[in-house]
Amino acid sequence: MFHHGGVILLKAKRVAQGDLNRVAIRLAMLRVANYVAIVRAAIRVAIIRAVIRVVIIRAAIREVAQEEMAAFAVDENPEPVYGRYDGDHIYGINPVLLALRSQRRKIQELILQEDIDTKVKKDSSLQEILDLAEKSSIPVRHFSKHDLNMMSDNRPHQGAILRAKPLSFLKAEPLPKSDDFKVVLALDEVEDPQNFGALLRSSFFLGCHAVVTCAKNSAPLTPAVSKASAGALELMSVYSTENMMNWLDQCKENGWQVVGTALSESAIPFKELPRDKPTILVLGNEGHGIRTNILRRCDHLVTISKSAPGSEMSPVAGADGVDSLNVSVTGGILLQHFISGSK
């Protein structure tokens, strides 16, 4: 019996010892797992720190590189020596001279070419420009021809540029009734500044009563127009209307006749048109001519006859290839005809 109890006790000790071993193994395994987790966490932290260091280093390198590039970079749009100005740069002797005489603009300054002698006889107009500027206390500066070329977009400035505020169109009101024969020039979407300027020049020279343009799709009052007008723009008011059709209708109600230009068969030679009413002469766009809705409001359509082939005016073979006139030339011929008849 005692032997049997000893065996049982021995077995119990062995089981207990096995359990203790298993617990010890498990504890050891837990410790190892904890160590692994700690090592992994430490590795992650080290990697994150290394990444952050790389990002910081790259950012620093990029900043230094940008600073180095900026130090050697060339400004693609540097400030010009004469400074920037948002207004008009009026160029050419006549436009500048007449702008100074008329004083219709707010003038910023006068810029002259530095190597031009204003006292030379051929540059007497330049001397007058300088005198007018000094009389009006307008600042005067001198720059090279290259600088003036840049300010005028390489247009013929003739050594003088005037910085001034732009001119604006006046609102065209319906023309009142008139017992006198007057001629008003209406431009239906004339867009080319050279044509517009040439028409203003002819209108001013011949004594046209007024010039009216469309508010949209027409050349604005730019320095190029002033130059093309030989400065006439600086001396005259130019009107515009938001609706040319309505404006013509209102003028017709007040007794004005509307005359348009056309190459159609219904057009008559301009010399056959009686000059017995105040007249609005309509000229159209350089490409498509007078718009249809404007043509419908014309009381008369006129044309300028071409000289016969083989005549003294067209002796060259193939002269039929020139079959039309520029709008500014047409305007000059017709204005001279109508206005001369009223004098």
Side-chain angles (χ1 to χ4, degrees), residues 89-205:
H89 286 81
I90 307 164
Y91 58 90
I93 297 296
N94 256 28
V96 170
L97 179 59
L98 296 179
L100 287 169
R101 285 179 181 174
S102 63
Q103 297 184 352
R104 296 175 62 218
R105 298 176 183 258
K106 183 178 180 181
I107 298 172
Q108 177 77 11
E109 65 177 334
L110 171 66
I111 295 177
L112 298 178
Q113 188 173 318
E114 58 190 4
D115 56 352
I116 288 183
D117 187 357
T118 59
K119 297 187 181 300
V120 177
K121 184 176 181 180
K122 66 178 181 179
D123 296 324
S124 58
S125 295
L126 276 174
Q127 183 60 50
E128 183 180 356
I129 286 173
L130 184 58
D131 293 341
L132 287 171
E134 292 177 349
K135 182 179 179 181
S136 301
S137 299
I138 297 171
V140 179
R141 292 195 293 165
H142 294 79
F143 290 96
S144 68
K145 183 177 181 179
H146 170 76
D147 292 332
L148 271 71
N149 289 342
M150 298 299 292
M151 281 183 271
S152 63
D153 290 332
N154 288 312
R155 296 188 176 99
H157 51 76
Q158 299 173 288
I161 289 180
L162 195 66
R163 284 178 159 180
K165 294 294 183 182
L167 292 173
S168 300
F169 290 100
L170 300 181
K171 181 181 179 181
E173 301 292 345
L175 297 172
K177 293 181 179 180
S178 176
D179 295 329
D180 300 325
F181 183 80
K182 297 178 180 178
V183 178
V184 170
L185 180 62
L187 304 179
D188 183 30
E189 297 188 346
V190 172
E191 298 175 316
D192 183 75
Q194 301 301 316
N195 285 332
F196 187 25
L199 287 166
L200 292 179
R201 181 178 185 175
S202 298
S203 299
F204 183 83
F205 179 80

Side-chain angles (χ1 to χ4, degrees), residues 262-332:
L263 297 175
S264 63
E265 295 181 358
S266 59
I268 63 174
F270 70 95
K271 293 183 179 179
E272 296 180 9
L273 184 69
R275 293 170 285 188
D276 55 357
K277 290 183 179 180
T279 300
I280 299 174
L281 174 62
V282 182
L283 299 177
N285 176 272
E286 295 87 349
H288 55 71
I290 300 175
R291 289 174 292 167
T292 302
N293 285 336
I294 301 295
L295 284 173
R296 290 172 181 166
R297 286 162 171 79
C298 292
D299 300 300
H300 305 281
L301 294 177
V302 298
T303 185
I304 298 175
S305 300
K306 182 183 176 184
S307 61
S311 69
E312 294 181 0
M313 296 300 294
S314 57
V316 181
D320 287 343
V322 183
D323 58 359
S324 63
L325 292 173
N326 179 280
V327 63
S328 62
V329 176
T330 299

Side-chain angles (χ1 to χ4, degrees), residues 193-270:
Q194 301 301 316
N195 285 332
F196 187 25
L199 287 166
L200 292 179
R201 181 178 185 175
S202 298
S203 299
F204 183 83
F205 179 80
L206 294 170
C208 183
H209 184 67
V211 177
V212 179
T213 70
C214 300
K216 296 180 180 179
N217 302 322
S218 296
L221 302 179
T222 62
V225 172
S226 184
K227 176 64 174 175
S229 74
L233 174 61
E234 308 301 324
L235 303 176
M236 61 189 295
S237 297
V238 185
Y239 300 84
S240 71
T241 175
E242 294 287 343
N243 192 315
M244 183 66 79
M245 283 77 77
N246 290 346
W247 181 78
L248 289 174
D249 288 338
Q250 293 170 331
C251 294
K252 290 179 68 173
E253 291 176 1
N254 291 337
W256 288 73
Q257 69 172 349
V258 179
V259 178
T261 57
L263 297 175
S264 63
E265 295 181 358
S266 59
I268 63 174
F270 70 95

